[in-house]
Amino acid sequence: MKFLHLVSFIISSIFLLNPAFGQTDQWPKRTIKFVVGFGPGGANDIVARIVAEGVSKQLGQPVIVENKPGAGSVLGADFVAKSPSDGYTFFVSAGGIITNPMIKKSMPYKEGDLVPVALLAVSPSIIVVPPDSTIKNLRDLIARAKDAKGIQFSTAGTGSTPHFVAEMLKVNAGGKYDIIPYKSGSEAKVAVLSNQVDATSESSAVTIPQIQGGKLRAIASTWNKRIEALPNVPTTKEEGYPQILIGHWAGLFAPKGTSNEILDKMNKAVEAALKSSEVQKRLVPQGIEPIPGSRASFVSFLNDERNRLAPIVQRANMRDD
């Protein structure tokens, strides 16, 4: 009898000293939070909300989205990096999780403080111009860039995906690009809609409505295949510039220290959600490509993106501070 009491005492002590002990098998027991580092309505927010609903069905618990915009998504990333590693707070990243450390002088968290869980989706960037522009295709835009005045190209800020598109055009096609940073992709798009600038490049998720409504003209997408919702818009690769390749991707990260069991369970839940017809029917018409895969394949994707984009940052001398 004394032995049983001793065993009970030891087990109770373990749980008191380490409340997380034994919780992995029971995870999740309550609401999970997906933190987005941008405001509502952007590509990452759209992906996060659709995937969150799919993951909720897989795990049997609510998954809510919380927007924490600021500093090119750094504020949201920092919040999650400093959150408990108990499997209830995740970060839905964009490419800035790779490029922010390259262009910012200081960061409030270390890169290793966030652990890759799953690649969610890619929303190709679409190069757009005003509908009444004389620029009809990518060749016209490059030719205009080589004129004396060059091209005024709006972006969502230093280090944003549109900024990378402009730098890729400059390096691989030549010409003069007056790169004008705005506070958001929405503002950069409005600058084109109002004829304040010649062109921009923005996510398919936020430009398709204006393109289909005749308010913007799409001249090329910057991903490796045509967008299903815009079958007549060629890729930059088809136009002869395969090096101009970038997308507005979204990935899921967890705070360092989250158990591998929880990370694996979340990865499997994301994968199942992305493969479901419900999620695909909501993402694909917006030009968003679901990309289910393993944790290892996401790490490989991040390494490839980091190695590909770092030389562009250095060549363009991108600095945000």
Side-chain angles (χ1 to χ4, degrees):
M1 199 69 177
K2 290 182 179 180
F3 176 75
L4 292 176
H5 282 301
L6 179 61
V7 171
S8 177
F9 173 77
I10 292 172
I11 293 174
S12 299
S13 299
I14 290 172
F15 275 91
L16 287 171
L17 292 171
N18 183 10
F21 184 84
Q23 290 183 358
T24 298
D25 291 341
Q26 303 171 40
W27 180 89
K29 297 189 294 183
R30 55 184 170 87
T31 299
I32 296 168
K33 182 187 298 182
F34 281 5
V35 174
V36 175
F38 301 96
N44 270 60
D45 181 69
I46 292 170
V47 170
R49 292 180 187 279
I50 293 173
V51 174
E53 289 186 26
V55 169
S56 176
K57 291 179 180 178
Q58 295 296 322
L59 295 177
Q61 291 288 349
V63 181
I64 63 170
V65 173
E66 182 174 322
N67 298 91
K68 288 188 175 295
S73 79
V74 170
L75 293 185
D78 183 51
F79 174 83
V80 175
K82 293 171 181 171
S83 294
S85 53
D86 55 6
Y88 292 98
T89 307
F90 293 83
F91 181 57
V92 179
S93 78
I97 201 164
I98 290 174
T99 58
N100 280 330
M102 298 178 189
I103 68 173
K104 293 181 181 293
K105 290 180 181 178
S106 62
M107 293 282 289
Y109 66 94
K110 298 176 182 178
E111 287 190 71
D113 290 342
L114 290 167
V115 181
V117 181
L119 180 59
L120 305 180
V122 173
S123 178
S125 199
I126 304 177
I127 303 173
V128 294
V129 299
D132 58 353
S133 172
T134 57
I135 298 172
K136 307 293 184 184
N137 51 50
L138 186 59
R139 293 184 299 277
D140 288 346
L141 184 140
I142 292 168
R144 173 79 68 84
K146 292 179 179 178
D147 287 344
K149 290 178 64 176
I151 289 283
Q152 285 190 316
F153 199 100
S154 60
T155 76
T158 302
S160 64
T161 298
H163 187 183
F164 274 97
V165 172
E167 296 293 350
M168 289 175 179
L169 281 165
K170 186 189 301 182
V171 169
N172 296 291
K176 177 184 176 184
Y177 294 85
D178 183 11
I179 300 172
I180 304 172
Y182 284 79
K183 293 181 180 179
S184 68
S186 176
E187 289 186 15
K189 183 178 67 174
V190 169
V192 177
L193 287 166
S194 57
N195 280 286
Q196 296 178 54
V197 299
D198 299 306
T200 191
S201 181
E202 218 1 279
S203 159
S204 58
V206 297
T207 54
I208 282 179
Q210 285 82 16
I211 293 167
Q212 293 178 333
K215 295 181 179 180
L216 288 172
R217 176 186 295 150
I219 61 173
S221 69
T222 64
W223 201 233
N224 50 22
K225 65 180 182 179
R226 292 197 182 199
I227 299 167
E228 188 172 315
L230 298 172
N232 296 324
V233 178
T235 65
T236 44
K237 181 179 180 179
E238 289 176 303
E239 295 291 275
Y241 297 95
Q243 305 91 339
I244 303 173
L245 174 68
I246 195 167
H248 296 253
W249 59 266
L252 197 67
F253 287 76
K256 179 182 177 182
T258 305
S259 73
N260 282 321
E261 290 84 358
I262 289 176
L263 297 178
D264 286 338
K265 283 186 178 181
M266 177 57 82
N267 176 271
K268 287 180 173 59
V270 168
E271 185 174 23
L274 292 175
K275 289 180 177 179
S276 70
S277 59
E278 294 92 339
V279 169
Q280 294 202 4
K281 285 177 182 177
R282 294 179 65 188
L283 291 178
V284 174
Q286 300 187 71
I288 304 171
E289 179 184 352
I291 307 183
S294 65
R295 288 169 58 195
S297 67
F298 185 31
V299 170
S300 178
F301 172 86
L302 292 170
N303 289 336
D304 289 345
E305 285 291 281
R306 189 177 288 108
N307 293 335
R308 194 168 65 85
L309 297 178
I312 298 172
V313 171
Q314 295 172 358
R315 189 164 49 231
N317 194 30
M318 292 186 185
R319 292 290 180 270
D320 196 34
D321 294 303

